[in-house]
Amino acid sequence: MSRLPVIVGFGGYNAAGRSSFHHGFRRTVLESLPAAVRQETLAGLAVMMKLVRVEEGQYLDEERVVLTPADIEARFAETIIQGTLVRRIEKRYLDVDAAHWQKNLTVTGEAGKPFSFITLAKQLPEPLPSDWVVEPLNDTEVMVTMYDGCDMKLDSYRPLPVKSAGQLPSGFDPAELYASRFHPRGLQMTIIAATDALRSSGLEWKTIVDRVQPDEVAVFASSAMSQLDENSFGGLMQSRLKGNRVSAKQLALGLNSMPADFINAYILGSVGTTGAITGACASFLYNLQKGTEMITSGRARVVLVGNGEAPVTQECIEGYGAMGALATEDGLRAIEGRDDVDFRRASRPFSQNCGFTLAESAQFFLLMDDELALELGADIHGAVTDVFINADGFKKSISAPGPGNYLTMAKAVHSAMQIVGEERVRSRSFVHAHGSSTPANRVTESELLDRIAEAFGIADWPIAAAKAFVGHSLASASADQLASALGTFKYQIVPGIKTIDAVADDVHQQHLRISTRDVPRSDDPLEVCFINSKGFGGNNASAVVLAPSAVERMLRKRHGDAVFDEYLARRKTTQAAATAYDQRALKGQLDIIYNFGNDMIDDRELQISTESIRVPGFEQPLVFRQDDRFSDMAGD
């Protein structure tokens, strides 16, 4: 009997704000929310963005005037709206109108004559060019006479053709929330996002760990692009070219496994399984597959899965831009037919579009097996029953789509039908499409979804596309989709693709429903979501996610009404603790977990026997498992 991987906590940060308790989702459907819910989320964003502050539980403006959530909406709603989701790249990242680069300059003397200049002796190149003659002038300066000329590189500035990205809310800086010295931005985001996911569960981490063996905890997290800012690979590659020194941390902190490593070392103190799996834009689902397989097989009981990606850098923008993959200012101007470009509509899935929009995001999900979740009284937000991954076979272009995504989506739909029934999939499922906003994707993905729908008898399949709001965060992209899907299960709203006016004529939609407005589903609740992801290189993945209502039916059937009713009683305490965290977080008290050098394990204190290992700080021993896998071949 396979254990069911259930989601008992989730959180993170992207262009929509904080993901836990569905606040990020709420930001994407603001116009469809009741006033009180909308105002609560806006107030939380106002605090994040430093538009208001909180003292003694009250919201205050810069003049210390007390504000209600309604006051905050009236005064700051437009500022919050303009400072979240996809928008023009802010200067805290880079100046897209004056991006720094070096221009080559060839210098020679008049009519081939030698010429001279004065410089500091310590600035002379090593070795000296053969045509240079150097004459000391004093203790520090020299006169250089050059006979053949030379090539120089001079600082220059130019506008970037790409000017939009999905950025964390304006004014919100992860570096300010904990002792983040020399941490790349992607790892800063990982620390605060993983904290948010853990806090959202309403369970203390020690309470969870005390119920399981040390190796029954697993962490799977990565960053597809590694870390690329000046504190990591970016600084490593640029330092000598800029005349600076490489630091001892830049290489180590740049590794794409660092999100998982930081979580183990500074948040969980875990000694369990760990991994950093990358599959381009499908990386989150690759990690999610590993996490769910660990739980269903019984090799882990608790898994934290996620990604942290911070690619809003000049190098990433220019790299993807050189491929013609990103939406440019000129491309958007051509689509909109006007000179004044609305960068908030840069990401345009399934409509007239010209490329995707880079974004930063860190998202994490806390999974447990169903038995442990019931035992602890965990609040269950959904379940992940399957993640399917298939490659594309032989390819001509490494970035072009291929047949693998047909395999993943078909297997996902077939799997869901076996679990919840054919009719529920046909009438109560929806798709969170990859929806990258490229001209190729709008055709190829819509065609495959339309064909899958036809094959399985689905007549009017709702399609959502989170990238319209938060952009494309590469490794974290499908995690953004999953967070949004959980919001749909909670509020029964399918977010419309509101950055477009109409679906493009070449989009296949005979069996699909692609709406430009939010679609309410309270009268016919959705119970299944298919998360679809396509990545460069033929990295295709599709996941099956079940709503809490479907999970509860399954758990009652497996464990019985009596056990489930006892669980519901325990869950009230957990939900109260989770809500208390949410209320603190809305007021800026994010309670970041960062245990630098705390409770380190002395390996000399490990107690090792032929049956088990006791690890200091862990309640339960690691008991060696009986291995019968090769019993038919074992022995002399």
Side-chain angles (χ1 to χ4, degrees), residues 370-371 374 554-564:
D370 56 298
E371 184 178 348
L374 265 60
M554 295 168 66
L555 295 181
R556 279 191 181 275
K557 185 173 182 179
R558 168 175 282 183
H559 298 280
D561 288 340
V563 170
F564 193 79

Side-chain angles (χ1 to χ4, degrees), residues 302-323:
V302 183
V303 181
L304 187 63
V305 178
N307 298 86
E309 196 87 276
V312 187
T313 66
Q314 183 172 333
E315 293 76 15
C316 280
I317 291 170
E318 295 201 290
Y320 282 107
M323 298 166 58

Side-chain angles (χ1 to χ4, degrees), residues 382-555:
V384 182
T385 57
D386 281 294
V387 181
F388 298 100
I389 296 171
N390 288 92
D392 282 338
F394 291 117
K395 299 175 75 75
K396 182 178 180 180
S397 167
I398 199 68
S399 61
N405 203 195
Y406 282 87
L407 307 185
T408 64
M409 276 300 298
K411 290 193 293 185
V413 174
H414 183 264
S415 170
M417 284 184 167
Q418 294 180 79
I419 296 171
V420 301
E422 295 181 7
E423 185 52 38
R424 280 198 171 94
V425 171
R426 291 190 178 112
S427 63
R428 296 194 173 189
S429 73
F430 71 112
V431 178
H432 248 287
H434 181 65
S436 65
S437 186
T438 64
N441 175 264
R442 76 181 185 227
V443 177
T444 58
E445 189 177 19
S446 66
E447 182 178 12
L448 89 85
L449 294 177
D450 202 52
R451 290 179 63 185
I452 295 295
E454 180 181 24
F456 287 93
I458 303 173
D460 195 23
W461 219 2
I463 307 297
K467 292 180 181 67
F469 304 105
V470 299
H472 192 343
S473 55
L474 306 178
S476 298
S478 41
D480 291 331
Q481 293 166 250
L482 178 53
S484 182
L486 297 183
T488 290
F489 289 147
K490 173 69 174 180
Y491 293 99
Q492 287 301 320
I493 299 172
V494 179
I497 304 177
K498 289 170 282 191
T499 57
I500 68 176
D501 297 319
V503 176
D505 293 339
D506 54 4
V507 169
H508 298 255
Q509 52 177 330
Q510 183 177 349
H511 303 89
L512 309 181
R513 182 178 182 184
I514 304 175
S515 176
T516 60
R517 296 182 179 181
D518 296 338
V519 179
R521 286 295 299 254
S522 296
D523 294 338
D524 189 17
L526 294 162
E527 295 191 351
V528 182
C529 181
F530 299 101
I531 308 292
N532 194 43
S533 189
K534 301 158 70 71
F536 285 179
N539 292 286
N540 306 286
S542 303
V544 180
V545 185
L546 303 184
S549 57
V551 177
E552 290 187 4
R553 284 198 310 269
M554 295 168 66
L555 295 181

